[in-house]
Amino acid sequence: MPIRSADAEWTGGVPAGNGRVKLESGALDTQYNFSSRFESGTGTNPEELIAGAHAGCFSMAFSLMLGQEGFTPERVRTTAKVHIDKQGGGFAITRIDLVTRASIPGIGADKFQEVAEKAKANCPVSRALKAVDITLDAALE
């Protein structure tokens, strides 16, 4: 299996410094800073990147597991909301909320919820982040 990588570099102190993050694939090469992380400044931040990874992983895992149950999804759309809060003298990721909406012909509500929960528990990113509370709001469209 491939090993994925990304590079980040930070210059200067905090909060005045700046960083740059670049994905190995070249799909992303952008800046981040204190303002983009803890306020509403321009640029990305580690939590946003985690959210994107989690939403993408969950959607793909859910689709895979639906297929294993004999269902072919028309669409699975997921938003991941990563919460970062001040704790003690620093900050911590305290919760991730997954919100997914899907169009899946022929599936019942109970089976849909069962497979969604299974995907939440078993997608590789969820498994890597299991120290954080992960919630799931899943609904059929």
Side-chain angles (χ1 to χ4, degrees):
M1 297 302 294
I3 297 172
R4 306 298 184 198
S5 69
D7 296 312
E9 181 176 0
W10 185 266
T11 55
V14 175
N18 287 293
R20 183 147 213 93
V21 63
K22 183 165 86 172
L23 304 184
E24 172 187 41
S25 67
L28 178 72
D29 182 352
T30 191
Q31 61 97 24
Y32 69 107
N33 54 51
F34 185 88
S35 178
S36 70
R37 188 164 192 197
F38 299 109
E39 298 166 352
S40 295
T42 302
T44 192
N45 55 71
E47 293 74 28
E48 181 179 57
L49 296 170
I50 290 169
H54 204 175
C57 185
F58 174 84
S59 290
M60 189 175 190
F62 191 22
S63 295
L64 172 70
M65 292 174 188
L66 286 163
Q68 292 169 341
E69 295 286 337
F71 300 98
T72 303
E74 291 176 351
R75 179 181 59 255
V76 173
R77 183 176 30 91
T78 305
T79 300
K81 298 176 182 181
V82 175
H83 298 253
I84 184 166
D85 297 304
K86 193 163 181 108
Q87 284 192 343
F91 293 88
I93 294 174
T94 57
R95 188 174 85 230
I96 300 171
D97 300 324
L98 295 174
V99 179
T100 193
R101 299 295 179 259
S103 176
I104 305 157
I107 196 167
D110 290 344
K111 179 55 92 173
F112 173 80
Q113 291 299 326
E114 174 191 322
V115 179
E117 287 292 337
K118 182 178 172 185
K120 180 188 97 165
N122 292 294
C123 91
V125 173
S126 287
R127 292 176 71 175
L129 299 172
K130 66 183 174 182
V132 177
D133 183 34
I134 300 170
T135 68
L136 176 62
D137 172 0
L140 285 165
E141 295 182 317

